[in-house]
Amino acid sequence: MIQRSGLRWNLSHGLMWWLPIWGEHLLAGGIAGVSVDLILFPLDTIKTRLQSPQGFTKAGGFCGIYSGVPSTAIGSFPNAAAFFITYEYVKYFLRPYSPSYLTPVTHMMASSAAELVACLIRVPSEVVKQRAQVSPSVPTFQVFSSILREEGVHGLYRGYKSTVLREIPFSLVQFPVWEYLKALWARKQDHAVNSWQSAVCGAFAGGFAAAVTTPLDVAKTRIMLAKTGSKIATGKVLPALYEIWRKQGVPGLFAGVFPRMAAISLGGFIFLGTYDQTRSLLL
């Protein structure tokens, strides 16, 4: 009886410890994700239409700029929450085994693991969103139903590999740069950065990472938008990149780079700043 009571106390004590530590990351990440995705949705639509195979005008131009927003609204919170709870957990798990000079490697491993988990939620939401963005006259639910009818659940995960291959290099650049800039700023001012300073660091880190990973983003967009049964629809990234380069050259590989940089710089400012601010309020 004593052992059972002790076990019960340990379990409840462990749960009470877990909730504030990991619950704050889940809630802060989810709120940050919803904020940035909904605020910057028009820029994302413009970027997707610039990257689409039919071209900006035929994909809708500036009409129906919020087409696909229900998919983002539904998927944004769980996607961002899954990312940050995994990111913080892996950092926490690896910290005792990582000397200080390997801190950037820890951040890289944590962000890569977080992307693998988050993409399980992000990709179906992204597939529906992007197809709705280039078909502004078609309701989002109809796009979703059409994918399930023609391709099944597998169709919702078309582009999973290309998304992961885009997101992991992006995170390998963004998060170590973000953490480094925060640490540098903190050393300069002799105390930890506040939320707006973290947001500025996030904007620089996000813009830089967005620029260097744009070709992978273009390939991911083409794979998700490709007609069922086409060569690009198989989801292979290198053939998709080669096809884009063959038809449009280097400009095609960097289609939408400026809206992408603008969206992700602003997104990094809002996303990482909101994340830090929400965490500080919860704490």
Side-chain angles (χ1 to χ4, degrees):
M1 188 67 182
I2 294 173
Q3 287 180 343
R4 287 181 182 176
S5 299
L7 177 61
R8 192 180 302 117
W9 184 88
N10 284 332
L11 287 172
S12 63
H13 183 265
L15 181 62
M16 292 304 291
W17 171 84
W18 184 89
L19 283 172
I21 297 299
W22 303 116
E24 80 195 33
H25 298 309
L26 188 149
L27 189 58
I31 290 171
V34 171
S35 300
V36 70
D37 284 344
L38 295 183
I39 291 170
L40 299 178
F41 193 85
L43 274 175
D44 183 72
T45 301
I46 291 168
K47 183 267 300 180
T48 298
R49 290 174 180 177
L50 284 168
Q51 293 177 349
S52 66
Q54 66 261 52
F56 180 74
T57 305
K58 289 184 178 178
F62 291 103
C63 299
I65 212 76
Y66 280 96
S67 298
V69 77
S71 176
T72 294
I74 292 168
S76 188
F77 188 97
N79 163 41
F83 177 90
F84 268 110
I85 199 169
T86 307
Y87 177 70
E88 296 291 350
Y89 178 77
V90 174
K91 277 204 309 181
Y92 167 81
F93 179 78
L94 293 176
R95 190 174 292 124
Y97 310 103
S98 303
S100 57
Y101 65 87
L102 287 179
T103 297
V105 177
T106 301
H107 295 153
M108 289 178 180
M109 292 176 69
S111 60
S112 298
E115 289 296 356
L116 287 170
V117 173
C119 280
L120 294 172
I121 302 168
R122 181 181 307 148
V123 171
S125 173
E126 187 88 351
V127 170
V128 175
K129 178 199 74 174
Q130 291 204 312
R131 295 199 191 177
Q133 284 174 326
V134 298
S135 305
S137 60
V138 182
T140 302
F141 183 75
Q142 190 175 325
V143 171
F144 173 71
S145 302
S146 176
I147 294 168
L148 285 179
R149 185 174 61 254
E150 295 174 12
E151 302 177 65
V153 175
H154 179 74
L156 293 172
Y157 281 91
R158 188 207 289 182
Y160 178 81
K161 287 185 289 186
S162 61
T163 304
V164 169
L165 287 173
R166 177 198 68 174
E167 294 296 350
I168 288 181
F170 180 86
S171 291
L172 289 177
V173 176
Q174 184 190 32
F175 279 86
V177 171
W178 178 52
E179 301 275 12
Y180 171 77
L181 290 174
K182 286 199 301 178
L184 183 64
W185 201 332
R187 283 200 302 271
K188 292 284 185 184
Q189 65 186 11
D190 238 10
H191 61 81
V193 296
N194 56 34
S195 297
W196 78 264
Q197 291 170 331
S198 174
V200 171
C201 295
F204 277 103
F208 178 69
V212 299
T213 58
T214 294
L216 294 170
D217 185 59
V218 177
K220 185 269 307 177
T221 298
R222 294 293 179 90
I223 288 168
M224 287 185 172
L225 297 180
K227 291 182 179 178
T228 305
S230 66
K231 186 178 177 182
I232 291 181
T234 58
K236 294 178 180 177
V237 177
L238 288 178
L241 287 170
Y242 174 73
E243 188 71 12
I244 295 162
W245 176 78
R246 188 176 65 83
K247 290 183 177 178
Q248 297 175 272
V250 174
L253 292 172
F254 284 89
V257 64
F258 294 115
R260 175 170 161 79
M261 284 180 67
I264 293 180
S265 290
L266 287 169
F269 185 89
I270 299 167
F271 188 65
L272 299 174
T274 303
Y275 175 69
D276 271 2
Q277 179 65 27
T278 306
R279 274 188 64 204
S280 66
L281 289 173
L282 290 171
L283 287 168

